[in-house]
Amino acid sequence: MEKYEKIPKGFKFYGTHVGIKKKRKDFGLIVADELCHAAAVFTKNTFCGECIPIGKENVKDGKLQAVVVTSGIANVATGKTGRANEYKIMEKLAEKLTIDQENILPSSTGVIGPQLPIKRIEEFLTQEVLELEQNYENFAHAILTTDQRIKVHSLKVGDATILGIVKGSGMIEPNMATMLAYILTDAKVDKEVIYPMLKAAADQSFNTISIDSDTSTSDTVAFLASGHYDVEQTALQAGLNQISKELALAVVKDAEGATKTMFVTVKNAQSQEQAKNAGKSIINSPLVKTALFGNDPNWGRIAMALGKTEGLLFDQNKVEIYYGKYPIFSNNKEEQQNSNNITTYIEQNDEIYLTIDLHQGTESFQVIGCDLSYDYVKINSDYLT
Amino acid sequence: MEKYEKIPKGFKFYGTHVGIKKKRKDFGLIVADELCHAAAVFTKNTFCGECIPIGKENVKDGKLQAVVVTSGIANVATGKTGRANEYKIMEKLAEKLTIDQENILPSSTGVIGPQLPIKRIEEFLTQEVLELEQNYENFAHAILTTDQRIKVHSLKVGDATILGIVKGSGMIEPNMATMLAYILTDAKVDKEVIYPMLKAAADQSFNTISIDSDTSTSDTVAFLASGHYDVEQTALQAGLNQISKELALAVVKDAEGATKTMFVTVKNAQSQEQAKNAGKSIINSPLVKTALFGNDPNWGRIAMALGKTEGLLFDQNKVEIYYGKYPIFSNNKEEQQNSNNITTYIEQNDEIYLTIDLHQGTESFQVIGCDLSYDYVKINSDYLT
């Protein structure tokens, strides 16, 4: 696929260094030629960043024309000054791009607490010409914190294109990772269905991953449709779901210090929610995560994590635990004959598939996590070095 | 205090090596001269050990005469064979000690999955004379896994003594830590009040600590009263509370790989439960824990962890965050003038006190956690080395 074929019609990009970070790009824009139908989902963290309430307000009418991202400072816990700074940026931008301020979605990611260097940003926006580009690369770089790489996926649905750009995980400074994802399409999407479409896709993708169980204060996933092509809605939803899953997986693959990815499917639960809760309990268990890092086929920790799931009751006699295709626990006893195969399976694969069969219903859910390594501790404790 | 003054009247102890572990003591007994009033609280993990349902059944009538502990193998996820093995041990013991099997509380801690070496244990119990001792030291050693040290506290309430022995945290093999605590007194305690007394003490002590958010499959706290002395109930409850707090703190202090202890108090919440949930969210956050390990005054992560507390709503403008006596966040902004003092405070202390004032009610709760270090990852991922 040619590079420019990946980009849906009607969007331009921008990414540069304005001086929030020391050297790397820290200011990014997505600008649509016309007003788009749009939707966004946001962090549930009560201590949310100043961008979050502004973004919620601005996307409420189902319309957006631009996204602005600052990286390096999260603009969280910054009070009235932080809120005012965000409005100053949006005001300057609206003027410069001749679009309505109410159609801009702001995002910010980085350290919690400090104020943005607002004077520097305002000077930049006053003095510089913003040369928007066809290519998303500078934008994709401008939104990173300690991500190892830019994370971009695209696909075609009929004539239309869906492009997704995400950042997540990694630190250059001591703060939690923020997940920001922007999904663009030139398909036509009705204002009434764009939010439910995004919500459905996010629930099966971004909401199924966990790197360290810590919910960022700034998470945002936005979906903008420029409306150039008519596409069958089911096909578009399928494409949106796939891009969302690819982006979510890209975040876990770039997780801080991680060496392995684990896919945990809980089968035959009473509800999807029950299956998801059980899966999350497993991928968030420090003991399951450290065992995975050590290539240790320690299924007892999986049993423990399953058992501590809030509100989950089950019959130990019915539970089965698999590594890949190998059962390690069934009929309430260890399947010792599979131990060697499982050890080899874990040692030789970076993607580990675990299946828990509860045998108490018909619903399944898969969640995705990673291991807990020395490097996770290093990245998140090395403040002064 | 003389060593034997620490031991309540009417109890004897035993601890030896029977061959579950390679060399270290792995079999312990507490035996009362007479039937005791007793209560116990157990793990809420659904995937619980085979000892747990037996213990629940046996303590249901409020009476116990002995405790037997095997260490090195947890006897969890071992099915019918595991259950039968536990009964075999208890049967032999009942015969040997001429006490009713129904008055024995069994506990087991260690690796999940394998069966106990029941033949070896039965042979031992058949052949050896169990010479019970006045001193608890061999028992306290016999219940350890990778604990760094035995953890014992005692105090006097009037004429009576309360003695508590706990194990918790540490690994010799790849499995989660179990917390086992035994609290003995020679005070008289009515059968009707012994469980509520223990429950009240446990809720304010053992249930306030977290090392790694993973709930063991075998946790047990038992309280036995041999009934030699009359003591005022309020004084006894106060003593029981104090011993429970000391034992719980001793477990956190011996946490796997930990270098610091954090005491998190959430003040002026709407309920104790709300304050506790918020505190737990903070002490269980990997990002708060790694920051503590790195001596990093990263209060933004505390704000993040507070904000992600399930079901907790608050007004950022009212929240205050303190390190020791220094506020770092209030009136929705950073108190930058305190940054240097706080850095010094964290660097120079092993016990870090955090206070979160929600300003939305009158209830407070303190929880106790620890940092997340390289050694935690090492201890829990080093399987084959």
Side-chain angles (χ1 to χ4, degrees):
Chain A
M1 195 188 274
E2 275 289 314
K3 191 169 259 177
Y4 293 103
E5 282 184 12
K6 284 189 180 179
I7 298 170
K9 258 191 160 169
F11 295 99
K12 294 202 179 59
F13 304 88
Y14 183 75
T16 194
H17 171 79
V18 300
I20 306 169
K21 296 179 191 166
K22 271 190 191 152
K23 280 189 179 175
R24 298 194 310 144
K25 293 192 176 68
D26 52 16
F27 183 87
L29 290 173
I30 299 173
V31 183
D33 301 338
E34 311 281 342
L35 199 54
C36 292
H37 287 171
V41 292
F42 298 96
T43 181
K44 288 184 179 159
N45 195 307
T46 309
F47 223 115
C48 64
E50 293 304 327
C51 292
I52 302 295
I54 302 174
K56 280 185 185 168
E57 181 61 29
N58 287 2
V59 77
K60 214 170 54 180
D61 64 354
K63 289 176 188 166
L64 286 177
Q65 194 169 352
V67 170
V68 55
V69 184
T70 44
S71 67
I73 287 178
N75 200 8
V76 176
T78 47
K80 281 178 194 162
T81 309
R83 183 75 59 101
N85 287 344
E86 208 60 56
Y87 279 123
K88 282 181 190 164
I89 294 171
M90 294 169 69
E91 211 171 297
K92 281 271 178 205
L93 267 180
E95 196 188 310
K96 199 120 183 164
L97 302 168
T98 57
I99 60 177
D100 278 351
Q101 191 181 318
E102 289 69 32
N103 294 322
I104 302 175
L105 178 86
S107 301
S108 207
T109 174
V111 192
I112 293 178
Q115 298 290 351
L116 286 166
I118 190 62
K119 247 185 106 180
R120 214 174 304 160
I121 299 172
E122 281 193 301
E123 272 170 28
F124 177 87
L125 289 177
T126 308
Q127 290 160 12
E128 301 292 321
V129 179
L130 303 178
E131 299 217 18
L132 302 180
E133 303 170 311
Q134 286 293 327
N135 190 336
Y136 52 75
E137 282 203 16
N138 285 327
F139 172 78
H141 278 104
I143 66 175
L144 305 183
T145 53
T146 46
D147 303 64
Q148 303 282 315
R149 49 187 169 272
I150 65 168
K151 292 174 276 284
V152 181
H153 285 269
S154 83
L155 56 75
K156 298 289 273 185
V157 185
D159 291 328
T161 302
I162 307 179
L163 170 72
I165 302 169
V166 68
K167 67 94 31 180
S169 121
M171 300 267 144
I172 43 168
E173 286 168 304
N175 48 72
M176 86 268 343
T178 300
M179 203 201 61
L180 300 176
Y182 304 101
I183 305 172
L184 312 176
T185 184
D186 41 20
K188 221 172 260 171
V189 187
D190 283 348
K191 227 179 59 171
E192 291 66 34
V193 301
I194 193 162
Y195 177 77
M197 283 185 76
L198 176 62
K199 181 75 170 60
D203 281 346
Q204 298 289 326
S205 57
F206 301 107
N207 291 342
T208 72
I209 64 173
S210 176
I211 288 172
D212 53 12
S213 80
D214 277 340
T215 305
S216 157
T217 51
S218 306
D219 291 339
T220 300
V221 181
F223 180 36
L224 282 73
S226 62
H228 287 268
Y229 299 104
D230 274 313
V231 173
E232 204 266 309
Q233 195 185 323
T234 322
L236 191 68
Q237 179 79 60
L240 179 63
N241 291 353
Q242 193 185 319
I243 284 285
S244 299
K245 279 185 184 172
E246 285 170 354
L247 294 174
L249 183 56
V251 170
V252 182
K253 292 270 178 184
D254 196 16
E256 291 173 349
T259 68
K260 282 183 195 288
T261 308
M262 65 174 142
F263 299 79
V264 177
T265 303
V266 178
K267 274 172 64 172
N268 295 319
Q270 284 167 347
S271 67
Q272 285 210 3
E273 196 193 350
Q274 186 188 63
K276 183 179 170 182
N277 290 344
K280 282 272 180 97
S281 183
I282 293 167
I283 62 171
N284 282 329
S285 157
L287 288 167
V288 170
K289 289 160 74 76
T290 45
L292 188 63
F293 174 59
N295 286 327
D296 173 4
N298 194 323
W299 63 271
R301 293 183 181 177
I302 297 168
M304 171 281 298
L306 181 70
K308 73 168 180 158
T309 309
E310 188 85 21
L312 175 69
L313 296 174
F314 55 80
D315 180 352
Q316 286 186 32
N317 292 295
K318 290 188 183 163
V319 171
E320 291 174 318
I321 302 174
Y322 294 77
Y323 283 83
K325 65 184 180 188
Y326 307 109
I328 186 64
F329 180 77
S330 66
N331 297 311
N332 209 353
K333 63 176 182 29
E334 187 174 18
E335 301 282 351
Q336 272 181 310
Q337 73 282 3
N338 291 325
S339 287
N340 290 342
N341 281 332
I342 289 172
T343 302
T344 309
Y345 171 72
I346 299 175
E347 281 171 0
Q348 295 186 346
N349 290 282
D350 294 338
E351 298 195 338
I352 302 298
Y353 287 81
L354 296 174
T355 307
I356 318 300
D357 195 333
L358 291 177
H359 287 292
Q360 59 175 247
T362 56
E363 298 293 331
S364 291
F365 204 86
Q366 188 189 63
V367 295
I368 310 174
C370 60
D371 58 345
L372 170 56
S373 70
Y374 295 119
D375 277 355
Y376 179 86
V377 177
K378 186 176 168 59
I379 292 166
N380 289 304
S381 64
D382 260 15
Y383 175 57
L384 299 164
T385 55
Chain B
M1 196 190 271
E2 276 288 314
K3 190 169 258 177
Y4 293 105
E5 281 185 13
K6 285 189 180 180
I7 298 171
K9 257 190 160 171
F11 295 98
K12 293 202 179 60
F13 305 87
Y14 183 75
T16 193
H17 172 79
V18 300
I20 307 169
K21 296 179 192 165
K22 273 190 188 152
K23 279 190 178 173
R24 297 193 308 146
K25 292 192 176 69
D26 53 17
F27 183 89
L29 289 173
I30 300 173
V31 183
D33 301 339
E34 311 281 341
L35 199 55
C36 291
H37 287 171
V41 290
F42 299 96
T43 180
K44 287 183 179 162
N45 195 307
T46 308
F47 223 114
C48 65
E50 293 304 328
C51 291
I52 302 295
I54 302 175
K56 281 184 183 169
E57 181 62 29
N58 286 3
V59 76
K60 213 169 56 180
D61 65 352
K63 289 175 188 168
L64 287 176
Q65 194 167 355
V67 170
V68 57
V69 184
T70 45
S71 67
I73 287 177
N75 200 8
V76 176
T78 48
K80 282 179 192 162
T81 309
R83 183 76 59 103
N85 287 345
E86 208 60 53
Y87 280 123
K88 281 180 190 165
I89 295 171
M90 294 168 69
E91 210 171 297
K92 281 271 178 203
L93 267 182
E95 195 187 312
K96 199 122 185 166
L97 301 169
T98 56
I99 60 178
D100 278 349
Q101 190 181 318
E102 290 68 32
N103 295 322
I104 302 176
L105 178 86
S107 302
S108 205
T109 174
V111 193
I112 293 178
Q115 298 290 350
L116 286 166
I118 190 65
K119 248 185 104 179
R120 214 174 305 159
I121 300 172
E122 282 193 300
E123 273 171 27
F124 176 90
L125 289 177
T126 308
Q127 290 161 11
E128 301 294 319
V129 179
L130 303 178
E131 299 218 17
L132 303 179
E133 302 171 311
Q134 286 292 325
N135 189 336
Y136 53 73
E137 283 203 16
N138 286 328
F139 172 78
H141 277 105
I143 65 175
L144 303 184
T145 54
T146 46
D147 304 63
Q148 304 282 316
R149 49 188 169 269
I150 66 169
K151 291 174 276 286
V152 181
H153 286 269
S154 82
L155 55 75
K156 299 288 273 185
V157 183
D159 291 329
T161 301
I162 307 179
L163 170 71
I165 303 169
V166 68
K167 68 93 32 180
S169 123
M171 301 267 146
I172 40 168
E173 285 165 305
N175 48 72
M176 89 266 345
T178 299
M179 203 202 62
L180 300 175
Y182 305 100
I183 305 171
L184 312 175
T185 185
D186 43 18
K188 222 173 259 171
V189 186
D190 283 348
K191 225 177 59 169
E192 291 66 34
V193 302
I194 193 162
Y195 176 77
M197 282 185 78
L198 176 61
K199 181 74 170 60
D203 280 346
Q204 298 289 329
S205 56
F206 301 109
N207 291 343
T208 71
I209 63 173
S210 176
I211 287 173
D212 52 12
S213 79
D214 277 340
T215 306
S216 158
T217 52
S218 306
D219 291 339
T220 300
V221 180
F223 179 37
L224 283 74
S226 62
H228 286 268
Y229 299 104
D230 274 313
V231 174
E232 203 266 310
Q233 195 184 321
T234 322
L236 191 67
Q237 179 78 60
L240 178 63
N241 292 353
Q242 192 184 321
I243 284 285
S244 299
K245 280 184 184 173
E246 286 170 355
L247 294 174
L249 183 57
V251 170
V252 183
K253 292 268 179 188
D254 196 16
E256 291 173 349
T259 68
K260 282 184 194 288
T261 309
M262 65 174 144
F263 299 78
V264 177
T265 303
V266 177
K267 274 172 62 175
N268 296 319
Q270 284 167 348
S271 65
Q272 285 210 4
E273 198 193 349
Q274 185 187 61
K276 183 179 170 182
N277 290 344
K280 282 272 180 95
S281 183
I282 294 167
I283 61 171
N284 282 329
S285 158
L287 288 167
V288 170
K289 290 160 71 78
T290 46
L292 188 64
F293 173 58
N295 286 326
D296 172 3
N298 195 322
W299 62 273
R301 294 183 182 176
I302 297 168
M304 174 282 298
L306 181 70
K308 73 167 181 158
T309 309
E310 188 86 20
L312 175 68
L313 296 176
F314 55 80
D315 181 352
Q316 287 187 29
N317 292 296
K318 290 188 183 162
V319 170
E320 291 175 318
I321 302 175
Y322 293 77
Y323 283 83
K325 65 183 178 188
Y326 307 108
I328 186 64
F329 181 78
S330 65
N331 297 312
N332 208 354
K333 63 176 183 30
E334 188 174 17
E335 301 282 350
Q336 272 182 310
Q337 73 283 3
N338 290 324
S339 287
N340 290 341
N341 281 333
I342 288 172
T343 302
T344 309
Y345 171 72
I346 299 175
E347 282 172 0
Q348 294 187 347
N349 289 283
D350 294 337
E351 299 193 340
I352 302 298
Y353 287 81
L354 296 174
T355 307
I356 319 300
D357 195 333
L358 292 177
H359 286 293
Q360 59 174 244
T362 56
E363 296 293 330
S364 291
F365 204 85
Q366 188 188 63
V367 295
I368 310 174
C370 61
D371 58 344
L372 170 57
S373 70
Y374 294 120
D375 278 355
Y376 179 86
V377 177
K378 186 175 166 61
I379 292 165
N380 289 305
S381 64
D382 261 15
Y383 175 57
L384 299 163
T385 54

